[in-house]
Amino acid sequence: GAGVSQSPSNKVTEKGKDVELRCDPISGHTALYWYRQSLGQGLEFLIYFQGNSAPDKSGLPSDRFSAERTGGSVSTLTIQRTQQEDSAVYLCASSPGEGDFYGYTFGSGTRLTVV
Amino acid sequence: SQQGEEDPQALSIQEGENATMNCSYKTSINNLQWYRQNSGRGLVHLILIRSNEREKHSGRLRVTLDTSKKSSSLLITASRAADTASYFCASRGSGYSTLTFGKGTMLLVSP
């Protein structure tokens, strides 16, 4: 597609349930990033995929969070046993690759509300 | 942490005026970028300045970078109501592969 697509755009879930958030990056972009943004805050890095390399998971806040990227394209972020503090907008971005020339293209995000 | 800080946190101006936002960061960088966010959703990339550059222009945007002070500024000239948004700086630290974002400046441009 022309842009980064995220689904769902909104998700309300009960505390303790698992959720899956999907990101479809721009075709041909080898780098994919997940960030989250709490109300009125900056972006918090979660995880980074680059090509076939092992992902950089250093930003995942707990072992309840995991992500995968299949076939170097679509990525799924999974949050198990959701907690109220997981409520945030989850943003996915992609870029043509690593380097000093590329900005990120962001999707519109998934707003997750844990009740 | 590499996290940058934007200043001011909020800025309110009239259409036609210039808006200046500042950003500071903590470690050496490869590049620094500015993004705009409307309505708390996806961010839009505005401009990228590399560590060996001091100034860059794009339309009504002017970005400066002072690596000795670890700071950058974004100037929007002749602002419009449509410029109302949050603006974030993001730095790519030397040896890092990802961007670290600040908390942003909320800009309100009144007609």
Side-chain angles (χ1 to χ4, degrees):
Chain A
V4 176
S5 178
Q6 290 188 246
S7 61
S9 56
N10 289 283
K11 176 72 176 179
V12 180
T13 189
E14 292 181 352
K15 178 180 174 181
K17 299 283 190 182
D18 297 352
V19 295
E20 286 189 351
L21 312 180
R22 176 188 168 103
C23 174
D24 200 342
I26 292 174
S27 178
H29 279 195
T30 60
L32 186 148
Y33 314 83
W34 283 97
Y35 286 80
R36 73 175 176 181
Q37 185 178 30
S38 301
L39 187 64
Q41 298 298 308
L43 276 69
E44 176 188 5
F45 166 71
L46 297 176
I47 189 169
Y48 159 57
F49 296 89
Q50 171 58 47
N52 295 321
S53 302
D56 176 357
K57 304 179 181 180
S58 62
L60 295 179
S62 77
D63 58 9
R64 296 187 296 105
F65 288 72
S66 63
E68 63 177 17
R69 187 178 185 191
T70 53
S73 181
V74 172
S75 177
T76 302
L77 177 69
T78 301
I79 308 173
Q80 296 179 310
R81 305 181 302 282
T82 52
Q83 304 294 313
Q84 288 187 327
E85 61 263 28
D86 299 334
S87 296
V89 176
Y90 288 80
L91 293 162
C92 175
S94 69
S95 69
E98 187 175 314
D100 290 335
F101 302 98
Y102 310 118
Y104 294 1
T105 301
F106 279 87
S108 296
T110 294
R111 184 179 300 279
L112 176 66
T113 303
V114 182
V115 297
Chain B
S1 167
Q2 305 173 69
Q3 187 171 23
E5 296 288 337
E6 286 94 340
D7 170 58
Q9 290 186 322
L11 181 61
S12 182
I13 60 175
Q14 300 290 316
E15 265 192 329
E17 294 180 339
N18 296 341
T20 300
M21 288 159 268
N22 303 297
C23 167
S24 61
Y25 56 90
K26 296 182 180 180
T27 64
S28 61
I29 60 170
N30 287 335
N31 69 61
L32 187 140
Q33 305 178 28
W34 287 89
Y35 289 79
R36 184 186 72 229
Q37 183 180 41
N38 293 88
S39 306
R41 285 300 188 130
L43 283 72
V44 175
H45 179 255
L46 296 176
I47 196 165
L48 180 155
I49 186 165
R50 299 178 66 194
S51 60
N52 60 353
E53 298 176 310
R54 292 297 168 258
E55 187 171 314
K56 205 162 184 180
H57 297 254
S58 177
R60 294 183 296 113
L61 305 180
R62 171 177 170 253
V63 170
T64 61
L65 179 65
D66 187 335
T67 53
S68 67
K69 296 181 179 178
K70 293 187 171 58
S71 67
S72 174
S73 67
L74 172 67
L75 168 68
I76 304 174
T77 59
S79 62
R80 306 166 181 169
D83 295 329
T84 294
S86 290
Y87 292 81
F88 293 85
C89 72
S91 57
R92 179 168 176 244
S94 300
Y96 288 84
S97 300
T98 58
L99 293 177
T100 299
F101 287 80
K103 293 187 177 182
T105 292
M106 292 181 59
L107 173 65
L108 173 63
V109 183
S110 302

